[in-house]
Amino acid sequence: MKSYTSENLRNVAIIAHGGAGKTSLAEAILFNGGSTDRLGSVDSGTSVLDSEPEEIKRKITLTSSVHHCDWQGKHLNVIDTPGYANFIVDTKACLRVTGGAVVIVSAISGVKVQTEVVWKYADEFEIPKVVFISKLDRERADFDRAVGEIEATFKCYPLVLQIPIGKEDDFVGVIDLVTMKALRYGNDQSGKFSTEEIPDHMHEVAAEAREAMIERVVEADDELMEKYLGGEEIGVKEIQRATREGCMTGKFVPVVCGSALKNIGIQSLMDIMCECLPSPLERPAQFAENLAEGEEYELKADADAPFSALVFKTISDPFTGQLSLFRVYSGTLTSDTNCFNSTRGRKERIGQLLKLEGNKQVPIDKCGPGDIVAVAKLKETVTWDTLCDEKVPLRLKGLDLPAPVISFSLRPKSKGDEEKLGGALQRLMAEDPTIQIERNEQTKELVISGMGQVHIEVTVDRIKRKFGVDVELDAPKVPYMETIKKSVSLQGRHKKQSGGRGQFGDVWLKIEPLPKGEGFEFVNSIVGGVVPRQYIPAVEKGVLEAMAGGVLAGFPVVDIKVTLYDGSYHSVDSSEMAFKIAGSMAFKKGVVDAKPTLLEPIMLMDINVANDYMGDVIGDLNSRRGKVNGVEPMANSQLIKAQVPMSEVLKYAPDLRSMTGGRGMFTMEFSHYEEVPSHLIAKIVEAVNLEKDEG
């Protein structure tokens, strides 16, 4: 592999909504750059980037892929990212470490919701962007409409550098407004084109488009503005310089166009990527925490500086094991050496450094500032850990992951696969940090949570393919609780005679409700030794065991006070077991008479929706027995804060997406327990009992 300096390196993420053609564009870039010898296709399953079986089956990108090529003396690290909502966190992770982005806008569908999301991510990380308007060869393609949507949606200034020649089936090339030449392509997907004069019927349109481009591009350079206002001609080199300046500063976004499938306009895009997107040396200063001195430390993109890198992705490879992908921020790392994981406080042995080529790897000897590389089989390192020089321990900030939005109970179809499932889940969580696994102690279920139903389904497919474990998914059980609403006093008397030594325990309990959230309190009020001291803990134990399964539907009983105030014993037949049984009997009888009721978990929700959908979302929350606590205005949206019963929002993610056309996002966390409305208790109890009967 050719060597290259940080100055000639470009880290570029290709971002857009799902189905915009990101993978097809990345394949065309790699083909034109000479990294592949054929134009890979998503539809035919020949893509070198979408190579996972789940991706080939669904024909969508589920996880980001890294590849590289050389172009015009520059080395491009190209990252093909997911565009569907369930997997978009992976896109944000990639943008955290890249320097530039190519945003695809379909000439057919225009700007869609997830394009807005990833655009905001790029803005968050101050990443310069270039827009590629794609699919101009397709039916209903409209270049002007796409440009208009870019300006209206993103409130940016699109700098149109090219306009299409022809449309739909007649799309054959582009007019370069900088050089005022026509680039006409063949129909063989080779990417070869001829440079011609602008067709006569397009002279006027091209002249108007170029004048609009000049008016906008001179805004990036005061000298050019003066020159333009003075009526002087603006040269090609000056336009290119101002285009780069405007792109880097965000004054405008360069726009080019073409067709990835027909390989039209791709070389022009690659030229713009090299010219307008920054090298690692031109990115804003990055800072890390110096753990030794407790101060902020500026990272310099210098090969001789102390080494620092951030692990942004983990891949479970069936042949090489766990691959850790990292982006180098400073210094140099070589193969077969040591480094320090400052996040874990552990040394790591670096084996062979690898350059990723989709699902393949190429060995390299070293890597420097800005490069994106991988290493296999690190023992302690996980995603968002920092690798550095032990002499200068630094820690880079990772990414705050969003909370999961949907959960399912998970169990292996074969009872003998529990252990294999546990190992599989650990590996998958290392690969995908947005997957969360927990064992619910109350419902005894293994619960898997993720960013959407498709996300969970894909994870299940991977568990079967990679680890040979078939699993079943169900809606998770709601962890209801039981409590009481009035005080009672009850006797529990356990007497059993079977020929030999008998059993005898006799207690009187007062059972009272406690304020919400107080849990359980046991009070010993025995006087005079009517219940011997050694048996009192057994009474409490019997009560606690009875509390684990309430009288309504077998849910745990909470917020209750039990006072042991009287009883009797037998000098021979009494025992700890007898008093434990007596305590349990008294508690169960008492709860039945103490107006038992159900408590349900209430979730605290923050729901971000576009202004147009706020009324519909609030109405829907009301129908789910939710309480809206307030609405806060955000940029072009509203943040609805609400409390909603868990049982009503177990599958809220697809409902919100449907309600808002994909323009809604939410976070959810447990808040507290509240009493279930009386008219619903019978239905819940009936459903639980029916499930027990079927089980």
Side-chain angles (χ1 to χ4, degrees), residues 23-39:
T23 303
S24 296
L25 177 59
E27 292 282 349
I29 290 172
L30 297 173
F31 175 70
N32 286 288
S35 287
T36 57
D37 56 9
R38 58 176 172 77
L39 201 58

PDB file of all heavy atoms in Angstrom, residues 23-39:
ATOM      1  N   THR A  23     -24.611   3.295  -0.334  1.00  0.00           N
ATOM      2  CA  THR A  23     -23.714   2.177  -0.649  1.00  0.00           C
ATOM      3  C   THR A  23     -23.362   2.152  -2.125  1.00  0.00           C
ATOM      4  O   THR A  23     -22.201   1.907  -2.495  1.00  0.00           O
ATOM      5  CB  THR A  23     -24.361   0.848  -0.223  1.00  0.00           C
ATOM      6  OG1 THR A  23     -24.674   0.903   1.175  1.00  0.00           O
ATOM      7  CG2 THR A  23     -23.426  -0.318  -0.475  1.00  0.00           C
ATOM      8  N   SER A  24     -24.325   2.433  -2.990  1.00  0.00           N
ATOM      9  CA  SER A  24     -24.045   2.466  -4.431  1.00  0.00           C
ATOM     10  C   SER A  24     -23.024   3.550  -4.754  1.00  0.00           C
ATOM     11  O   SER A  24     -22.128   3.354  -5.583  1.00  0.00           O
ATOM     12  CB  SER A  24     -25.338   2.712  -5.211  1.00  0.00           C
ATOM     13  OG  SER A  24     -26.254   1.642  -5.029  1.00  0.00           O
ATOM     14  N   LEU A  25     -23.141   4.710  -4.088  1.00  0.00           N
ATOM     15  CA  LEU A  25     -22.173   5.777  -4.316  1.00  0.00           C
ATOM     16  C   LEU A  25     -20.791   5.372  -3.812  1.00  0.00           C
ATOM     17  O   LEU A  25     -19.776   5.590  -4.497  1.00  0.00           O
ATOM     18  CB  LEU A  25     -22.628   7.064  -3.620  1.00  0.00           C
ATOM     19  CG  LEU A  25     -21.661   8.244  -3.725  1.00  0.00           C
ATOM     20  CD1 LEU A  25     -21.411   8.619  -5.172  1.00  0.00           C
ATOM     21  CD2 LEU A  25     -22.175   9.441  -2.930  1.00  0.00           C
ATOM     22  N   ALA A  26     -20.734   4.774  -2.629  1.00  0.00           N
ATOM     23  CA  ALA A  26     -19.443   4.334  -2.090  1.00  0.00           C
ATOM     24  C   ALA A  26     -18.799   3.299  -3.010  1.00  0.00           C
ATOM     25  O   ALA A  26     -17.585   3.332  -3.249  1.00  0.00           O
ATOM     26  CB  ALA A  26     -19.626   3.758  -0.686  1.00  0.00           C
ATOM     27  N   GLU A  27     -19.603   2.390  -3.541  1.00  0.00           N
ATOM     28  CA  GLU A  27     -19.074   1.383  -4.472  1.00  0.00           C
ATOM     29  C   GLU A  27     -18.503   2.051  -5.721  1.00  0.00           C
ATOM     30  O   GLU A  27     -17.447   1.651  -6.233  1.00  0.00           O
ATOM     31  CB  GLU A  27     -20.184   0.396  -4.859  1.00  0.00           C
ATOM     32  CG  GLU A  27     -20.672  -0.504  -3.729  1.00  0.00           C
ATOM     33  CD  GLU A  27     -19.719  -1.657  -3.444  1.00  0.00           C
ATOM     34  OE1 GLU A  27     -18.796  -1.887  -4.251  1.00  0.00           O
ATOM     35  OE2 GLU A  27     -19.894  -2.314  -2.407  1.00  0.00           O
ATOM     36  N   ALA A  28     -19.191   3.084  -6.212  1.00  0.00           N
ATOM     37  CA  ALA A  28     -18.714   3.781  -7.407  1.00  0.00           C
ATOM     38  C   ALA A  28     -17.415   4.530  -7.118  1.00  0.00           C
ATOM     39  O   ALA A  28     -16.508   4.569  -7.960  1.00  0.00           O
ATOM     40  CB  ALA A  28     -19.790   4.747  -7.907  1.00  0.00           C
ATOM     41  N   ILE A  29     -17.314   5.121  -5.930  1.00  0.00           N
ATOM     42  CA  ILE A  29     -16.074   5.814  -5.548  1.00  0.00           C
ATOM     43  C   ILE A  29     -14.910   4.832  -5.503  1.00  0.00           C
ATOM     44  O   ILE A  29     -13.815   5.099  -6.028  1.00  0.00           O
ATOM     45  CB  ILE A  29     -16.263   6.523  -4.188  1.00  0.00           C
ATOM     46  CG1 ILE A  29     -17.206   7.722  -4.340  1.00  0.00           C
ATOM     47  CG2 ILE A  29     -14.924   6.973  -3.607  1.00  0.00           C
ATOM     48  CD1 ILE A  29     -17.605   8.356  -3.023  1.00  0.00           C
ATOM     49  N   LEU A  30     -15.124   3.684  -4.886  1.00  0.00           N
ATOM     50  CA  LEU A  30     -14.060   2.682  -4.783  1.00  0.00           C
ATOM     51  C   LEU A  30     -13.653   2.152  -6.157  1.00  0.00           C
ATOM     52  O   LEU A  30     -12.468   1.921  -6.430  1.00  0.00           O
ATOM     53  CB  LEU A  30     -14.522   1.528  -3.886  1.00  0.00           C
ATOM     54  CG  LEU A  30     -14.820   1.890  -2.426  1.00  0.00           C
ATOM     55  CD1 LEU A  30     -15.420   0.693  -1.694  1.00  0.00           C
ATOM     56  CD2 LEU A  30     -13.565   2.379  -1.719  1.00  0.00           C
ATOM     57  N   PHE A  31     -14.636   1.980  -7.039  1.00  0.00           N
ATOM     58  CA  PHE A  31     -14.350   1.490  -8.391  1.00  0.00           C
ATOM     59  C   PHE A  31     -13.536   2.519  -9.180  1.00  0.00           C
ATOM     60  O   PHE A  31     -12.529   2.195  -9.816  1.00  0.00           O
ATOM     61  CB  PHE A  31     -15.665   1.178  -9.113  1.00  0.00           C
ATOM     62  CG  PHE A  31     -15.492   0.776 -10.545  1.00  0.00           C
ATOM     63  CD1 PHE A  31     -14.933  -0.443 -10.884  1.00  0.00           C
ATOM     64  CD2 PHE A  31     -15.884   1.634 -11.565  1.00  0.00           C
ATOM     65  CE1 PHE A  31     -14.765  -0.812 -12.213  1.00  0.00           C
ATOM     66  CE2 PHE A  31     -15.721   1.276 -12.893  1.00  0.00           C
ATOM     67  CZ  PHE A  31     -15.161   0.053 -13.221  1.00  0.00           C
ATOM     68  N   ASN A  32     -13.956   3.772  -9.120  1.00  0.00           N
ATOM     69  CA  ASN A  32     -13.234   4.821  -9.842  1.00  0.00           C
ATOM     70  C   ASN A  32     -11.855   5.071  -9.251  1.00  0.00           C
ATOM     71  O   ASN A  32     -10.920   5.463  -9.965  1.00  0.00           O
ATOM     72  CB  ASN A  32     -14.043   6.119  -9.845  1.00  0.00           C
ATOM     73  CG  ASN A  32     -15.233   6.062 -10.790  1.00  0.00           C
ATOM     74  OD1 ASN A  32     -15.083   6.080 -11.996  1.00  0.00           O
ATOM     75  ND2 ASN A  32     -16.432   5.977 -10.234  1.00  0.00           N
ATOM     76  N   GLY A  33     -11.717   4.824  -7.936  1.00  0.00           N
ATOM     77  CA  GLY A  33     -10.428   4.999  -7.288  1.00  0.00           C
ATOM     78  C   GLY A  33      -9.502   3.817  -7.460  1.00  0.00           C
ATOM     79  O   GLY A  33      -8.361   3.846  -6.976  1.00  0.00           O
ATOM     80  N   GLY A  34      -9.998   2.756  -8.112  1.00  0.00           N
ATOM     81  CA  GLY A  34      -9.153   1.604  -8.400  1.00  0.00           C
ATOM     82  C   GLY A  34      -9.033   0.601  -7.269  1.00  0.00           C
ATOM     83  O   GLY A  34      -8.245  -0.348  -7.363  1.00  0.00           O
ATOM     84  N   SER A  35      -9.827   0.757  -6.196  1.00  0.00           N
ATOM     85  CA  SER A  35      -9.753  -0.196  -5.087  1.00  0.00           C
ATOM     86  C   SER A  35     -10.534  -1.467  -5.366  1.00  0.00           C
ATOM     87  O   SER A  35     -10.311  -2.492  -4.731  1.00  0.00           O
ATOM     88  CB  SER A  35     -10.265   0.451  -3.799  1.00  0.00           C
ATOM     89  OG  SER A  35      -9.331   1.388  -3.322  1.00  0.00           O
ATOM     90  N   THR A  36     -11.492  -1.392  -6.283  1.00  0.00           N
ATOM     91  CA  THR A  36     -12.234  -2.586  -6.699  1.00  0.00           C
ATOM     92  C   THR A  36     -12.196  -2.652  -8.226  1.00  0.00           C
ATOM     93  O   THR A  36     -12.045  -1.626  -8.899  1.00  0.00           O
ATOM     94  CB  THR A  36     -13.702  -2.542  -6.224  1.00  0.00           C
ATOM     95  OG1 THR A  36     -14.335  -1.353  -6.725  1.00  0.00           O
ATOM     96  CG2 THR A  36     -13.776  -2.538  -4.706  1.00  0.00           C
ATOM     97  N   ASP A  37     -12.337  -3.859  -8.758  1.00  0.00           N
ATOM     98  CA  ASP A  37     -12.262  -4.016 -10.211  1.00  0.00           C
ATOM     99  C   ASP A  37     -13.631  -4.183 -10.853  1.00  0.00           C
ATOM    100  O   ASP A  37     -13.745  -4.468 -12.042  1.00  0.00           O
ATOM    101  CB  ASP A  37     -11.363  -5.199 -10.576  1.00  0.00           C
ATOM    102  CG  ASP A  37     -11.823  -6.497  -9.911  1.00  0.00           C
ATOM    103  OD1 ASP A  37     -12.923  -6.503  -9.319  1.00  0.00           O
ATOM    104  OD2 ASP A  37     -11.071  -7.487  -9.972  1.00  0.00           O
ATOM    105  N   ARG A  38     -14.662  -4.028 -10.050  1.00  0.00           N
ATOM    106  CA  ARG A  38     -16.023  -4.070 -10.604  1.00  0.00           C
ATOM    107  C   ARG A  38     -16.916  -3.157  -9.774  1.00  0.00           C
ATOM    108  O   ARG A  38     -16.616  -2.838  -8.622  1.00  0.00           O
ATOM    109  CB  ARG A  38     -16.592  -5.494 -10.580  1.00  0.00           C
ATOM    110  CG  ARG A  38     -16.633  -6.107  -9.195  1.00  0.00           C
ATOM    111  CD  ARG A  38     -17.295  -7.464  -9.195  1.00  0.00           C
ATOM    112  NE  ARG A  38     -17.178  -8.127  -7.916  1.00  0.00           N
ATOM    113  CZ  ARG A  38     -17.898  -7.844  -6.835  1.00  0.00           C
ATOM    114  NH1 ARG A  38     -18.792  -6.876  -6.882  1.00  0.00           N
ATOM    115  NH2 ARG A  38     -17.727  -8.514  -5.704  1.00  0.00           N
ATOM    116  N   LEU A  39     -18.021  -2.755 -10.360  1.00  0.00           N
ATOM    117  CA  LEU A  39     -18.970  -1.877  -9.686  1.00  0.00           C
ATOM    118  C   LEU A  39     -19.932  -2.737  -8.877  1.00  0.00           C
ATOM    119  O   LEU A  39     -20.799  -3.404  -9.438  1.00  0.00           O
ATOM    120  CB  LEU A  39     -19.727  -1.039 -10.721  1.00  0.00           C
ATOM    121  CG  LEU A  39     -20.392   0.253 -10.255  1.00  0.00           C
ATOM    122  CD1 LEU A  39     -19.383   1.206  -9.635  1.00  0.00           C
ATOM    123  CD2 LEU A  39     -21.089   0.931 -11.425  1.00  0.00           C
TER     124      LEU A  39
END
